Amino acid sequence: MNTLLHRNRLIVLVVLFFLNACSTGSNQSTHALPDAEVVLEQLTRANDYWQSEYPEPGWAFWEHAAYHTGNMEAYFVTGDQDYLDYSLRWGERNEWMGAKSNQPSEWKYSYGETDEFVLFGDWQICFQTYIDLYEITGDREKIARALEVMEYQMATDASDYWWWADGLYMVMPVMTKLYQVTGDELYLEKLHEYYSYAKRIMYDEKTGLFFRDAKYVYPEHKSLNGQKDFWARGDGWVFAGLSKVLADLPEDHRHRDEYLADYQKMATTLADAQQPGGYWTRSLLDPEHAPGYETSGTAFFTYGYLWGINNGLLDRDVYLPVALNAWHYLTETSLQESGKIGYIQPIGERAIPGQVVDAESTANFGVGAFLLAASEMYRLVED
C-alpha cells in the first residue's frame, strides 16, 4: 500500500511539474547566451552578404535609410571600415539630403516619394545616419540639410507630422540626435508635441501598442477574428524608436518618464504576444490573421529588448528569455548560410492574410533591423 501511495504521489508531482511548465508561457527560454564570436560572425555574414549583393547604395528614401541605421550600429561594434565607407558613399550619392526641393512653400508631409515631400518622415530618416557620420568626421556639410529642414518644420504651427506609426522611428531619433548636436531644447519640445499627436490618433491605452495609423483603429478596423489588429513591423518601428529616444534624451528631461513608461508597457504586452518559436506574427494579437514567421518586426523587437536590458531599463530576468527566444529565431531560421536574411514581410502597411513570406523574402530595411539586434546582442555578450 505504501508503494502504491508513493507512486501516486510521484505521478501527481510530475503532472504538477508539467502544468507549471506550460503555465509559464513561451517566454521561458531554453537558449543560452550566445558566444560573442558567434554573434560577430552572424552579424558580419548578414551585412557582408547584403553589401556584396548591393554594392551601390540606393536613394535616400526610408527603406534604404532604415538599413543604414543598422549598418552604422554594425560599424560601431565592429569598426569595419567597409561598413563606414558604404554609408559615406550613400550620403554622398544623395548629397546629404532627403527630398531635394529647395522651395519651402511647396514642402509637404502627406505620403509622397517626390522631391516636394521634404517634411514627410520617410524622407527624414536619412538624417539619422548623416548625423552619425557628422559625429565621426566633424564635417558640418553632412548635417546642413537636416538642420535646415528640421528648423523650418519646428517653426511651423503644425503638430500632425507623425500620422503613421513608422514615422516615430523615422524622425524621433533625428530630433534627439540634433538636440545632442545643437543643445537646442526646441527639438525636445517639438518631439513631445508631435509624439503627443501620434498618441492621440493611434495609441491604444489598454495594450500600450500603436495602430499603424488612424485607418486601423479598433473597432472600426478589426483582424480576421474580430480583434485589435496591431501590425508587427509598425509597432517594431515604435519600440525601436523609443529605445533610440531614451538613449539620447537627458536623464532629467521632463518628458522622459512618459517615453519610458510607454516603452516598458510595450515590452510587457509584446512579451505576451511572442510565439513559441521566438518570432512575432504580422498581426500581433491575432496570430491566425497572417500566421508564420516574420523577421522585420521580430528584429526590431529584439533590438528594443536587448537595448533596454543593456541599459538597465528592462528587467534582465524577465526579458532576457524573450530576447534569447527571438535571437534564436533570427539566427537559426531567418539568417541563411549565405548571409541572406529571410522571412521579411515586403513593403506595406498591414498584416495581409495569405501573403507569402518565406526564406527568400528579404529587404534592406529588414536587414537593417537584424543588424540593430545583432549589434545589441554583441554588446550584451561581449562583456
Side-chain angles (χ1 to χ4, degrees):
M1 189 68 178
N2 288 340
T3 302
L4 179 62
L5 181 61
H6 180 67
R7 186 181 67 183
N8 287 342
R9 284 176 175 170
L10 284 176
I11 292 171
V12 170
L13 288 172
V14 169
V15 169
L16 288 173
F17 172 81
F18 280 106
L19 286 174
N20 182 65
C22 291
S23 70
T24 60
S26 62
N27 298 325
Q28 299 303 309
S29 178
T30 59
H31 306 298
L33 277 173
D35 183 82
E37 291 184 2
V38 172
V39 175
L40 191 62
E41 185 280 325
Q42 292 164 331
L43 183 158
T44 55
R45 188 188 343 153
N47 209 23
D48 290 353
Y49 173 85
W50 185 264
Q51 293 190 9
S52 65
E53 291 291 307
Y54 302 92
E56 293 303 319
W59 64 338
F61 207 44
W62 72 271
E63 73 274 29
H64 293 279
Y67 163 78
H68 284 275
T69 63
N71 183 55
M72 290 305 300
E73 289 303 312
Y75 167 70
F76 292 141
V77 299
T78 66
D80 191 319
Q81 186 68 34
D82 288 342
Y83 297 169
L84 179 62
D85 290 343
Y86 191 81
S87 284
L88 284 167
R89 290 201 310 276
W90 176 68
E92 290 164 0
R93 171 180 175 168
N94 290 292
E95 303 175 64
W96 307 106
M97 302 173 77
K100 294 181 179 178
S101 167
N102 286 315
Q103 298 296 324
S105 61
E106 66 180 28
W107 289 359
K108 303 174 184 177
Y109 58 95
S110 56
Y111 184 91
E113 300 182 10
T114 52
D115 278 338
E116 68 270 26
F117 289 90
V118 172
L119 304 179
F120 177 40
D122 283 5
W123 279 115
Q124 296 176 340
I125 178 178
C126 59
F127 298 153
Q128 291 189 43
T129 296
Y130 299 168
I131 297 164
D132 287 345
L133 293 170
Y134 158 73
E135 295 282 9
I136 293 167
T137 65
D139 181 1
R140 195 81 172 180
E141 177 192 5
K142 293 175 172 49
I143 61 168
R145 177 66 167 187
L147 290 166
E148 176 192 15
V149 169
M150 301 312 296
E151 287 175 4
Y152 174 88
Q153 179 171 310
M154 293 190 302
T156 69
D157 294 330
S159 61
D160 57 345
Y161 286 103
W162 302 339
W163 47 265
W164 77 119
D166 317 29
L168 300 182
Y169 182 83
M170 308 304 171
V171 199
M172 286 200 302
V174 171
M175 301 188 80
T176 52
K177 285 175 179 289
L178 285 177
Y179 165 75
Q180 291 286 340
V181 169
T182 66
D184 187 347
E185 291 281 344
L186 186 60
Y187 282 101
L188 303 186
E189 293 309 306
K190 287 295 185 178
L191 163 65
H192 187 258
E193 181 181 325
Y194 303 159
Y195 180 69
S196 298
Y197 171 80
K199 287 181 71 174
R200 284 197 300 273
I201 66 167
M202 54 188 167
Y203 182 67
D204 182 65
E205 292 282 352
K206 184 174 181 179
T207 62
L209 301 179
F210 283 75
F211 297 102
R212 195 273 178 177
D213 60 54
K215 299 192 301 294
Y216 297 101
V217 174
Y218 181 89
E220 286 75 17
H221 171 84
K222 300 177 183 178
S223 71
L224 280 182
N225 293 304
Q227 300 184 50
K228 294 175 180 178
D229 187 15
F230 297 106
W231 181 43
R233 187 159 69 236
D235 276 285
W237 292 122
V238 179
F239 195 52
L242 285 169
S243 302
K244 285 174 167 279
V245 164
L246 290 165
D248 286 335
L249 200 66
E251 291 288 336
D252 60 351
H253 191 267
R254 65 193 184 100
H255 297 305
R256 184 180 177 86
D257 286 348
E258 179 183 350
Y259 298 123
L260 180 58
D262 290 350
Y263 166 72
Q264 291 175 332
K265 189 170 184 176
M266 288 190 81
T268 300
T269 299
L270 291 169
D272 290 338
Q274 187 180 37
Q275 299 303 298
Y279 61 94
W280 282 264
T281 52
R282 284 162 275 173
S283 184
L284 290 171
L285 303 188
D286 186 358
E288 296 178 4
H289 179 96
Y293 300 137
E294 203 288 307
T295 294
S296 60
T298 296
F300 281 126
F301 296 146
T302 308
Y303 163 70
Y305 279 117
L306 290 170
W307 183 87
I309 293 165
N310 284 340
N311 289 277
L313 298 182
L314 292 179
D315 188 310
R316 181 186 176 107
D317 291 340
V318 173
Y319 293 111
L320 184 57
V322 180
L324 289 175
N325 279 341
W327 182 248
H328 186 262
Y329 158 76
L330 289 174
T331 54
E332 297 300 319
T333 299
S334 176
L335 176 63
Q336 312 298 304
E337 285 297 320
S338 65
K340 177 184 283 187
I341 301 293
Y343 299 99
I344 298 171
Q345 184 189 2
I347 290 175
E349 64 177 43
R350 62 189 178 93
I352 303 172
Q355 184 181 38
V356 174
V357 177
D358 59 24
E360 296 303 308
S361 303
T362 194
N364 42 15
F365 54 87
V367 176
F370 176 86
L371 295 175
L372 289 171
S375 298
E376 284 303 316
M377 180 58 84
Y378 183 73
R379 292 182 175 109
L380 177 72
V381 299
E382 184 186 22
D383 295 334

